[in-house]
Amino acid sequence: MTTVLHLIGPGGAGKTTVGLHLARRLGWQFVDLDERFMSCEGSINAVIEASGYLGYARRNVAVYRAVRSALTTPSVLALSSGFLTYPEDVDVGYPALRCAIETDALTSLLLPAFELEACVEAIVQRQLSRPYLRGDRASEERRIRERFPKFMAMRCARFRSDAAPDDVASQIERFVRR
């Protein structure tokens, strides 16, 4: 099976930015699940509007499986922000898939802070600076407050993403090469 390092965390945690630096440092391929989803399914917002969040999540799990099975070289794979926080019943095989990703030795959680309030402030600020997102402060804050305890309970390596992206990538690279 091909080596895959999963980057997980909320939107705005730095998965794509750090992932690109990390893949370059390791000499691996970088894959962004959101980009793959959009190339296969179209706009995430449009899918959510048409099918609801659970419909989007089901389709995203299917896209993940297709992407993962097609990988043939070592890869850094940035997951969608909510991928490991979907409801258990989103897909019959999802609980086992989530457990496998969460407990994989290379899975790395990115958060700008490990304290709730500092994390909320950083994530909301980052998300609101993205012109392509339609979120507002209240919805972004609600989302990270809901997901933060779930992320902190995950059994995987954790990295703070509040430093320069290449510095964070360097920390993860040292972790991978150990």
Side-chain angles (χ1 to χ4, degrees):
M1 181 144 253
T2 303
T3 301
V4 175
L5 184 152
H6 292 93
L7 286 179
I8 62 173
K15 298 179 301 290
T16 299
T17 305
V18 169
L20 287 164
H21 286 268
L22 179 59
R24 180 187 47 77
R25 288 175 151 279
L26 293 169
W28 293 6
Q29 166 183 221
F30 176 73
V31 179
D32 184 306
L33 185 59
D34 287 342
E35 287 179 10
R36 294 292 177 95
F37 181 92
M38 289 184 289
S39 70
C40 296
E41 302 287 333
S43 161
I44 293 171
N45 286 332
V47 171
I48 291 172
E49 286 175 16
S51 304
Y53 186 74
L54 286 179
Y56 154 73
R58 282 185 193 95
R59 288 163 78 174
N60 203 27
V61 170
V63 169
Y64 169 83
R65 285 191 177 111
V67 166
R68 179 67 179 90
S69 68
L71 296 176
T72 59
T73 61
S75 302
V76 174
L77 175 54
L79 294 183
S80 307
S81 62
F83 194 88
L84 290 186
T85 65
Y86 294 154
E88 294 271 326
D89 62 352
V90 73
D91 176 274
V92 69
Y94 175 72
L97 174 64
R98 182 175 68 195
C99 182
I101 293 170
E102 179 184 337
T103 60
D104 185 273
L106 293 181
T107 295
S108 300
L109 169 64
L110 293 181
L111 289 170
F114 297 147
E115 302 78 30
L116 176 62
E117 295 306 322
C119 184
V120 167
E121 186 55 36
I123 292 297
V124 169
Q125 182 178 347
R126 291 176 184 181
Q127 290 295 82
L128 293 179
S129 71
R130 296 176 173 191
Y132 56 88
L133 290 181
R134 291 191 232 161
D136 58 65
R137 177 167 288 281
S139 64
E140 293 299 331
E141 187 170 323
R142 177 190 46 74
R143 185 176 300 116
I144 185 57
R145 285 187 183 282
E146 176 185 298
R147 292 178 179 171
F148 182 82
K150 295 174 184 179
F151 285 124
M152 291 303 291
M154 290 181 185
R155 300 163 291 170
C156 60
R158 297 178 187 163
F159 297 91
R160 286 187 52 157
S161 59
D162 58 344
D166 200 54
D167 293 342
V168 178
S170 175
Q171 292 173 23
I172 300 171
E173 178 190 20
R174 285 192 301 275
F175 163 73
V176 169
R177 295 198 189 278
R178 269 191 271 158

